Amino acid sequence: MVSLNSYLILGAILFSIGAIGVFTQRNALIIYMCIELMLNSVNLTIIAFSRFLNNMDGHVFVFMIMTVAAAEAAVGLAIIISLFRNKATVNVDDINLSKG
Amino acid sequence: MQLLIFYILAFGAVISALLMVTSKKPVSSAMSLIATMVFLAGLYVLLDAHLIAALQLIVYAGAIMVLFLFVIMLLNVDEKEGRMAGNTILLQFGAILAIGLVFIMMVSLVKSGGTLLVFGEGADQFGTTKAVGKLLFTEYLLPFEIASVLLLAAIVGAVILAKRRIDDPDQKERIIPGHKG
C-alpha cells in the first residue's frame, strides 16, 4: 500500500521543481508552464488527502482549480501575445515597462 | 504491485518535470509538461479519482497545452530567447528556496511517520463521475455557477487583450511590414 506521505513528498518535489523553474527561466512562456506544474502538484496533494480522508470534497476543489487554471492560461497567453506585439520579446528581463 | 506502479509514475513525473525546467526550447518544454501531466493522471487513477484523471488528460494535457503550443508556434520566438537567468543571485535564491521547501516538508513528514493514515476502504462509488457530479450539483452548486461566470470573464478578457487594434495604423505597420490594408 502506498502511504499518504509518499504522495505528499512527490507533491512537494514537483512544486519545488516548478518554483526553481520560475526563478531560473527567463522565457515568459516557460515561466507560465512552471506555474501550471505548481498548480498540478497542489492538485495531486488535494486528491491524495481526499482519498485518504475518504471524502470527495477534494475532487470538487480540484475541479475548480482546473477551471481557474484554464481561465488563467487563456488570459495569461493573451497578455504574452500583446506584450510580444509591443516589444517583440518574451524575455522577462527585457520587459520592464512599469519599472520606476 | 500498487507500490511499483506508484514509483514508476512518480519517477516519470519528476524526471519529465526536471526536463521541462532545464530545457531551453519552449516546444520541448511544453512536451515534457504534457508527459508530466499524463504521469499525474496515472497517479490520480491510483488514488481512485477517475473523473479527475480523465479531466486532467482532456483539459490540461489536451486543451491548455494545445493552447500553449499554439501560442509558442504563433509567436515563433527566436531560440536564443529561452536562456537561463543571467543574475546568479536570483538563481541561488531560487535553489535555496526550493531545496529548503523540500527539506522542511520531508523532515516534518518523516517525523510524523508514526501516525500514518491508513488507506481508507472507500465505497465502490468513490471518485466516479456520478458521485462527483452529484456533489457538484447539490452541495457545490453556487461555486459551480460562479465558475461559469469566471470562464465567461476570461473569454472576454482574452479576446480584448489579444485582438489587433485596427484603428491604429502605426501599430499595424509594425506587425506586418509591407502589408497594405
mmCIF file of all heavy atoms in Angstrom, chain B residues 124-163:
data_model
loop_
_atom_site.group_PDB
_atom_site.id
_atom_site.type_symbol
_atom_site.label_atom_id
_atom_site.label_comp_id
_atom_site.label_asym_id
_atom_site.label_seq_id
_atom_site.Cartn_x
_atom_site.Cartn_y
_atom_site.Cartn_z
ATOM 1 N N ASP B 124 -17.459 1.642 -3.493
ATOM 2 C CA ASP B 124 -17.078 1.478 -4.899
ATOM 3 C C ASP B 124 -17.556 2.649 -5.739
ATOM 4 O O ASP B 124 -17.267 2.718 -6.928
ATOM 5 C CB ASP B 124 -17.619 0.156 -5.449
ATOM 6 C CG ASP B 124 -19.023 -0.101 -4.980
ATOM 7 O OD1 ASP B 124 -19.330 0.312 -3.855
ATOM 8 O OD2 ASP B 124 -19.807 -0.698 -5.724
ATOM 9 N N GLN B 125 -18.262 3.596 -5.116
ATOM 10 C CA GLN B 125 -18.686 4.799 -5.836
ATOM 11 C C GLN B 125 -17.647 5.909 -5.776
ATOM 12 O O GLN B 125 -17.843 6.961 -6.369
ATOM 13 C CB GLN B 125 -19.990 5.319 -5.222
ATOM 14 C CG GLN B 125 -21.214 4.532 -5.627
ATOM 15 C CD GLN B 125 -21.605 4.813 -7.063
ATOM 16 O OE1 GLN B 125 -21.832 5.939 -7.429
ATOM 17 N NE2 GLN B 125 -21.661 3.763 -7.874
ATOM 18 N N PHE B 126 -16.537 5.696 -5.063
ATOM 19 C CA PHE B 126 -15.611 6.794 -4.797
ATOM 20 C C PHE B 126 -14.976 7.303 -6.084
ATOM 21 O O PHE B 126 -14.365 6.540 -6.832
ATOM 22 C CB PHE B 126 -14.523 6.333 -3.828
ATOM 23 C CG PHE B 126 -13.666 7.459 -3.324
ATOM 24 C CD1 PHE B 126 -14.042 8.187 -2.221
ATOM 25 C CD2 PHE B 126 -12.506 7.798 -3.995
ATOM 26 C CE1 PHE B 126 -13.270 9.226 -1.767
ATOM 27 C CE2 PHE B 126 -11.726 8.846 -3.547
ATOM 28 C CZ PHE B 126 -12.115 9.558 -2.429
ATOM 29 N N GLY B 127 -15.121 8.618 -6.328
ATOM 30 C CA GLY B 127 -14.422 9.249 -7.433
ATOM 31 C C GLY B 127 -15.035 9.037 -8.799
ATOM 32 O O GLY B 127 -14.459 9.454 -9.792
ATOM 33 N N THR B 128 -16.175 8.400 -8.877
ATOM 34 C CA THR B 128 -16.792 8.212 -10.187
ATOM 35 C C THR B 128 -17.463 9.498 -10.642
ATOM 36 O O THR B 128 -17.690 10.416 -9.858
ATOM 37 C CB THR B 128 -17.835 7.094 -10.132
ATOM 38 O OG1 THR B 128 -18.773 7.442 -9.118
ATOM 39 C CG2 THR B 128 -17.206 5.765 -9.808
ATOM 40 N N THR B 129 -17.781 9.546 -11.939
ATOM 41 C CA THR B 129 -18.426 10.740 -12.486
ATOM 42 C C THR B 129 -19.757 11.000 -11.801
ATOM 43 O O THR B 129 -20.110 12.147 -11.524
ATOM 44 C CB THR B 129 -18.648 10.534 -13.988
ATOM 45 O OG1 THR B 129 -17.450 10.070 -14.563
ATOM 46 C CG2 THR B 129 -19.041 11.838 -14.655
ATOM 47 N N LYS B 130 -20.487 9.919 -11.526
ATOM 48 C CA LYS B 130 -21.796 10.070 -10.902
ATOM 49 C C LYS B 130 -21.686 10.700 -9.511
ATOM 50 O O LYS B 130 -22.393 11.665 -9.192
ATOM 51 C CB LYS B 130 -22.461 8.694 -10.797
ATOM 52 C CG LYS B 130 -23.901 8.739 -10.357
ATOM 53 C CD LYS B 130 -24.445 7.326 -10.263
ATOM 54 C CE LYS B 130 -25.844 7.339 -9.706
ATOM 55 N NZ LYS B 130 -26.344 5.990 -9.460
ATOM 56 N N ALA B 131 -20.740 10.194 -8.726
ATOM 57 C CA ALA B 131 -20.632 10.679 -7.349
ATOM 58 C C ALA B 131 -20.149 12.130 -7.317
ATOM 59 O O ALA B 131 -20.706 12.967 -6.589
ATOM 60 C CB ALA B 131 -19.669 9.785 -6.574
ATOM 61 N N VAL B 132 -19.113 12.429 -8.121
ATOM 62 C CA VAL B 132 -18.596 13.801 -8.129
ATOM 63 C C VAL B 132 -19.644 14.748 -8.700
ATOM 64 O O VAL B 132 -19.836 15.866 -8.202
ATOM 65 C CB VAL B 132 -17.275 13.883 -8.931
ATOM 66 C CG1 VAL B 132 -16.778 15.307 -8.995
ATOM 67 C CG2 VAL B 132 -16.218 13.016 -8.294
ATOM 68 N N GLY B 133 -20.359 14.307 -9.745
ATOM 69 C CA GLY B 133 -21.398 15.149 -10.336
ATOM 70 C C GLY B 133 -22.525 15.437 -9.361
ATOM 71 O O GLY B 133 -23.030 16.564 -9.295
ATOM 72 N N LYS B 134 -22.881 14.432 -8.586
ATOM 73 C CA LYS B 134 -23.937 14.643 -7.582
ATOM 74 C C LYS B 134 -23.517 15.690 -6.563
ATOM 75 O O LYS B 134 -24.289 16.581 -6.198
ATOM 76 C CB LYS B 134 -24.244 13.306 -6.902
ATOM 77 C CG LYS B 134 -25.594 13.268 -6.220
ATOM 78 C CD LYS B 134 -25.868 11.884 -5.688
ATOM 79 C CE LYS B 134 -26.784 11.096 -6.615
ATOM 80 N NZ LYS B 134 -27.017 9.729 -6.146
ATOM 81 N N LEU B 135 -22.246 15.595 -6.141
ATOM 82 C CA LEU B 135 -21.718 16.572 -5.181
ATOM 83 C C LEU B 135 -21.692 17.971 -5.806
ATOM 84 O O LEU B 135 -22.017 18.967 -5.161
ATOM 85 C CB LEU B 135 -20.300 16.142 -4.787
ATOM 86 C CG LEU B 135 -19.772 16.567 -3.431
ATOM 87 C CD1 LEU B 135 -20.681 16.031 -2.349
ATOM 88 C CD2 LEU B 135 -18.375 16.009 -3.266
ATOM 89 N N LEU B 136 -21.305 18.015 -7.080
ATOM 90 C CA LEU B 136 -21.140 19.287 -7.774
ATOM 91 C C LEU B 136 -22.470 19.994 -7.974
ATOM 92 O O LEU B 136 -22.547 21.227 -7.930
ATOM 93 C CB LEU B 136 -20.479 19.016 -9.130
ATOM 94 C CG LEU B 136 -19.625 20.096 -9.751
ATOM 95 C CD1 LEU B 136 -18.537 20.508 -8.814
ATOM 96 C CD2 LEU B 136 -19.024 19.558 -11.028
ATOM 97 N N PHE B 137 -23.536 19.225 -8.178
ATOM 98 C CA PHE B 137 -24.823 19.843 -8.481
ATOM 99 C C PHE B 137 -25.736 19.990 -7.278
ATOM 100 O O PHE B 137 -26.854 20.481 -7.418
ATOM 101 C CB PHE B 137 -25.537 19.052 -9.577
ATOM 102 C CG PHE B 137 -24.957 19.317 -10.934
ATOM 103 C CD1 PHE B 137 -24.267 18.333 -11.595
ATOM 104 C CD2 PHE B 137 -25.088 20.552 -11.527
ATOM 105 C CE1 PHE B 137 -23.712 18.576 -12.830
ATOM 106 C CE2 PHE B 137 -24.542 20.801 -12.762
ATOM 107 C CZ PHE B 137 -23.840 19.810 -13.417
ATOM 108 N N THR B 138 -25.273 19.541 -6.107
ATOM 109 C CA THR B 138 -26.102 19.759 -4.909
ATOM 110 C C THR B 138 -25.376 20.675 -3.925
ATOM 111 O O THR B 138 -25.747 21.836 -3.769
ATOM 112 C CB THR B 138 -26.423 18.420 -4.227
ATOM 113 O OG1 THR B 138 -25.202 17.732 -3.986
ATOM 114 C CG2 THR B 138 -27.328 17.564 -5.087
ATOM 115 N N GLU B 139 -24.289 20.164 -3.340
ATOM 116 C CA GLU B 139 -23.638 20.921 -2.283
ATOM 117 C C GLU B 139 -22.851 22.097 -2.834
ATOM 118 O O GLU B 139 -22.795 23.158 -2.225
ATOM 119 C CB GLU B 139 -22.712 19.976 -1.510
ATOM 120 C CG GLU B 139 -22.519 20.384 -0.059
ATOM 121 C CD GLU B 139 -21.603 19.404 0.655
ATOM 122 O OE1 GLU B 139 -21.627 18.220 0.300
ATOM 123 O OE2 GLU B 139 -20.872 19.863 1.543
ATOM 124 N N TYR B 140 -22.235 21.908 -4.016
ATOM 125 C CA TYR B 140 -21.362 22.942 -4.560
ATOM 126 C C TYR B 140 -21.983 23.578 -5.800
ATOM 127 O O TYR B 140 -21.285 23.892 -6.754
ATOM 128 C CB TYR B 140 -19.992 22.347 -4.896
ATOM 129 C CG TYR B 140 -19.213 21.953 -3.671
ATOM 130 C CD1 TYR B 140 -19.218 20.642 -3.223
ATOM 131 C CD2 TYR B 140 -18.492 22.891 -2.957
ATOM 132 C CE1 TYR B 140 -18.513 20.282 -2.093
ATOM 133 C CE2 TYR B 140 -17.794 22.542 -1.827
ATOM 134 C CZ TYR B 140 -17.799 21.238 -1.402
ATOM 135 O OH TYR B 140 -17.100 20.887 -0.281
ATOM 136 N N LEU B 141 -23.310 23.774 -5.783
ATOM 137 C CA LEU B 141 -23.970 24.316 -6.975
ATOM 138 C C LEU B 141 -23.572 25.769 -7.226
ATOM 139 O O LEU B 141 -23.298 26.150 -8.361
ATOM 140 C CB LEU B 141 -25.493 24.208 -6.804
ATOM 141 C CG LEU B 141 -26.300 24.669 -8.015
ATOM 142 C CD1 LEU B 141 -25.950 23.825 -9.218
ATOM 143 C CD2 LEU B 141 -27.781 24.584 -7.746
ATOM 144 N N LEU B 142 -23.527 26.577 -6.155
ATOM 145 C CA LEU B 142 -23.204 28.007 -6.331
ATOM 146 C C LEU B 142 -21.776 28.217 -6.842
ATOM 147 O O LEU B 142 -21.589 28.962 -7.815
ATOM 148 C CB LEU B 142 -23.445 28.751 -5.013
ATOM 149 C CG LEU B 142 -23.254 30.261 -5.091
ATOM 150 C CD1 LEU B 142 -24.291 30.882 -6.027
ATOM 151 C CD2 LEU B 142 -23.365 30.900 -3.721
ATOM 152 N N PRO B 143 -20.750 27.562 -6.260
ATOM 153 C CA PRO B 143 -19.410 27.700 -6.846
ATOM 154 C C PRO B 143 -19.357 27.243 -8.295
ATOM 155 O O PRO B 143 -18.639 27.840 -9.109
ATOM 156 C CB PRO B 143 -18.540 26.807 -5.955
ATOM 157 C CG PRO B 143 -19.240 26.737 -4.690
ATOM 158 C CD PRO B 143 -20.693 26.805 -5.002
ATOM 159 N N PHE B 144 -20.120 26.204 -8.622
ATOM 160 C CA PHE B 144 -20.135 25.709 -9.999
ATOM 161 C C PHE B 144 -20.657 26.776 -10.956
ATOM 162 O O PHE B 144 -20.089 27.015 -12.030
ATOM 163 C CB PHE B 144 -21.014 24.452 -10.049
ATOM 164 C CG PHE B 144 -21.097 23.807 -11.395
ATOM 165 C CD1 PHE B 144 -20.042 23.072 -11.879
ATOM 166 C CD2 PHE B 144 -22.235 23.942 -12.162
ATOM 167 C CE1 PHE B 144 -20.119 22.474 -13.114
ATOM 168 C CE2 PHE B 144 -22.316 23.353 -13.403
ATOM 169 C CZ PHE B 144 -21.251 22.621 -13.876
ATOM 170 N N GLU B 145 -21.728 27.468 -10.544
ATOM 171 C CA GLU B 145 -22.288 28.526 -11.393
ATOM 172 C C GLU B 145 -21.330 29.711 -11.486
ATOM 173 O O GLU B 145 -21.194 30.330 -12.543
ATOM 174 C CB GLU B 145 -23.641 28.980 -10.844
ATOM 175 C CG GLU B 145 -24.709 27.905 -10.842
ATOM 176 C CD GLU B 145 -25.126 27.488 -12.242
ATOM 177 O OE1 GLU B 145 -24.845 28.233 -13.186
ATOM 178 O OE2 GLU B 145 -25.702 26.405 -12.383
ATOM 179 N N ILE B 146 -20.668 30.037 -10.353
ATOM 180 C CA ILE B 146 -19.722 31.152 -10.363
ATOM 181 C C ILE B 146 -18.545 30.833 -11.288
ATOM 182 O O ILE B 146 -18.017 31.719 -11.972
ATOM 183 C CB ILE B 146 -19.251 31.466 -8.928
ATOM 184 C CG1 ILE B 146 -20.419 32.022 -8.118
ATOM 185 C CG2 ILE B 146 -18.131 32.482 -8.927
ATOM 186 C CD1 ILE B 146 -20.129 32.168 -6.653
ATOM 187 N N ALA B 147 -18.146 29.543 -11.351
ATOM 188 C CA ALA B 147 -17.048 29.151 -12.245
ATOM 189 C C ALA B 147 -17.403 29.446 -13.693
ATOM 190 O O ALA B 147 -16.542 29.856 -14.482
ATOM 191 C CB ALA B 147 -16.742 27.667 -12.059
ATOM 192 N N SER B 148 -18.687 29.267 -14.052
ATOM 193 C CA SER B 148 -19.074 29.561 -15.435
ATOM 194 C C SER B 148 -18.950 31.059 -15.715
ATOM 195 O O SER B 148 -18.538 31.458 -16.815
ATOM 196 C CB SER B 148 -20.488 29.070 -15.699
ATOM 197 O OG SER B 148 -21.403 29.817 -14.940
ATOM 198 N N VAL B 149 -19.292 31.903 -14.730
ATOM 199 C CA VAL B 149 -19.128 33.353 -14.907
ATOM 200 C C VAL B 149 -17.653 33.706 -15.059
ATOM 201 O O VAL B 149 -17.275 34.542 -15.897
ATOM 202 C CB VAL B 149 -19.765 34.117 -13.719
ATOM 203 C CG1 VAL B 149 -19.568 35.610 -13.881
ATOM 204 C CG2 VAL B 149 -21.229 33.788 -13.610
ATOM 205 N N LEU B 150 -16.803 33.023 -14.256
ATOM 206 C CA LEU B 150 -15.351 33.251 -14.358
ATOM 207 C C LEU B 150 -14.850 32.918 -15.749
ATOM 208 O O LEU B 150 -14.065 33.669 -16.344
ATOM 209 C CB LEU B 150 -14.639 32.388 -13.322
ATOM 210 C CG LEU B 150 -13.114 32.387 -13.416
ATOM 211 C CD1 LEU B 150 -12.558 33.649 -12.818
ATOM 212 C CD2 LEU B 150 -12.517 31.180 -12.759
ATOM 213 N N LEU B 151 -15.312 31.798 -16.305
ATOM 214 C CA LEU B 151 -14.862 31.412 -17.643
ATOM 215 C C LEU B 151 -15.317 32.425 -18.678
ATOM 216 O O LEU B 151 -14.569 32.754 -19.603
ATOM 217 C CB LEU B 151 -15.390 30.021 -17.986
ATOM 218 C CG LEU B 151 -14.643 28.887 -17.296
ATOM 219 C CD1 LEU B 151 -15.308 27.569 -17.600
ATOM 220 C CD2 LEU B 151 -13.213 28.849 -17.755
ATOM 221 N N LEU B 152 -16.549 32.942 -18.521
ATOM 222 C CA LEU B 152 -17.042 33.963 -19.449
ATOM 223 C C LEU B 152 -16.158 35.207 -19.395
ATOM 224 O O LEU B 152 -15.755 35.764 -20.431
ATOM 225 C CB LEU B 152 -18.489 34.313 -19.109
ATOM 226 C CG LEU B 152 -19.116 35.389 -19.980
ATOM 227 C CD1 LEU B 152 -19.305 34.863 -21.390
ATOM 228 C CD2 LEU B 152 -20.434 35.844 -19.410
ATOM 229 N N ALA B 153 -15.826 35.630 -18.148
ATOM 230 C CA ALA B 153 -14.954 36.803 -17.994
ATOM 231 C C ALA B 153 -13.593 36.560 -18.621
ATOM 232 O O ALA B 153 -13.016 37.453 -19.261
ATOM 233 C CB ALA B 153 -14.794 37.134 -16.507
ATOM 234 N N ALA B 154 -13.070 35.327 -18.489
ATOM 235 C CA ALA B 154 -11.760 35.011 -19.075
ATOM 236 C C ALA B 154 -11.818 35.065 -20.596
ATOM 237 O O ALA B 154 -10.890 35.563 -21.242
ATOM 238 C CB ALA B 154 -11.306 33.629 -18.614
ATOM 239 N N ILE B 155 -12.932 34.574 -21.172
ATOM 240 C CA ILE B 155 -13.065 34.616 -22.637
ATOM 241 C C ILE B 155 -13.052 36.060 -23.116
ATOM 242 O O ILE B 155 -12.306 36.435 -24.036
ATOM 243 C CB ILE B 155 -14.370 33.917 -23.076
ATOM 244 C CG1 ILE B 155 -14.295 32.426 -22.810
ATOM 245 C CG2 ILE B 155 -14.630 34.160 -24.551
ATOM 246 C CD1 ILE B 155 -15.625 31.740 -22.955
ATOM 247 N N VAL B 156 -13.870 36.913 -22.475
ATOM 248 C CA VAL B 156 -13.953 38.315 -22.884
ATOM 249 C C VAL B 156 -12.598 38.996 -22.709
ATOM 250 O O VAL B 156 -12.113 39.719 -23.601
ATOM 251 C CB VAL B 156 -15.056 39.042 -22.074
ATOM 252 C CG1 VAL B 156 -15.051 40.515 -22.394
ATOM 253 C CG2 VAL B 156 -16.408 38.446 -22.373
ATOM 254 N N GLY B 157 -11.938 38.739 -21.561
ATOM 255 C CA GLY B 157 -10.637 39.350 -21.306
ATOM 256 C C GLY B 157 -9.596 38.931 -22.321
ATOM 257 O O GLY B 157 -8.823 39.760 -22.818
ATOM 258 N N ALA B 158 -9.564 37.637 -22.669
ATOM 259 C CA ALA B 158 -8.568 37.158 -23.631
ATOM 260 C C ALA B 158 -8.786 37.784 -24.996
ATOM 261 O O ALA B 158 -7.828 38.195 -25.662
ATOM 262 C CB ALA B 158 -8.642 35.631 -23.719
ATOM 263 N N VAL B 159 -10.061 37.907 -25.415
ATOM 264 C CA VAL B 159 -10.336 38.488 -26.732
ATOM 265 C C VAL B 159 -9.917 39.954 -26.758
ATOM 266 O O VAL B 159 -9.267 40.418 -27.700
ATOM 267 C CB VAL B 159 -11.836 38.330 -27.072
ATOM 268 C CG1 VAL B 159 -12.182 39.165 -28.287
ATOM 269 C CG2 VAL B 159 -12.158 36.886 -27.326
ATOM 270 N N ILE B 160 -10.247 40.684 -25.689
ATOM 271 C CA ILE B 160 -9.913 42.117 -25.658
ATOM 272 C C ILE B 160 -8.403 42.318 -25.616
ATOM 273 O O ILE B 160 -7.855 43.204 -26.276
ATOM 274 C CB ILE B 160 -10.608 42.791 -24.454
ATOM 275 C CG1 ILE B 160 -12.088 42.913 -24.745
ATOM 276 C CG2 ILE B 160 -10.009 44.158 -24.170
ATOM 277 C CD1 ILE B 160 -12.885 43.481 -23.617
ATOM 278 N N LEU B 161 -7.682 41.462 -24.858
ATOM 279 C CA LEU B 161 -6.231 41.639 -24.742
ATOM 280 C C LEU B 161 -5.515 41.286 -26.038
ATOM 281 O O LEU B 161 -4.565 41.964 -26.428
ATOM 282 C CB LEU B 161 -5.700 40.761 -23.614
ATOM 283 C CG LEU B 161 -5.819 41.315 -22.210
ATOM 284 C CD1 LEU B 161 -5.462 40.239 -21.215
ATOM 285 C CD2 LEU B 161 -4.888 42.487 -22.040
ATOM 286 N N ALA B 162 -5.966 40.245 -26.712
ATOM 287 C CA ALA B 162 -5.193 39.725 -27.838
ATOM 288 C C ALA B 162 -5.632 40.277 -29.176
ATOM 289 O O ALA B 162 -4.957 40.069 -30.171
ATOM 290 C CB ALA B 162 -5.282 38.194 -27.862
ATOM 291 N N LYS B 163 -6.729 41.006 -29.225
ATOM 292 C CA LYS B 163 -7.206 41.467 -30.530
ATOM 293 C C LYS B 163 -6.296 42.571 -31.070
ATOM 294 O O LYS B 163 -5.694 43.324 -30.321
ATOM 295 C CB LYS B 163 -8.646 41.953 -30.418
ATOM 296 C CG LYS B 163 -8.772 43.357 -29.901
ATOM 297 C CD LYS B 163 -10.187 43.861 -30.036
ATOM 298 C CE LYS B 163 -10.217 45.295 -29.569
ATOM 299 N NZ LYS B 163 -11.442 45.710 -28.959
#
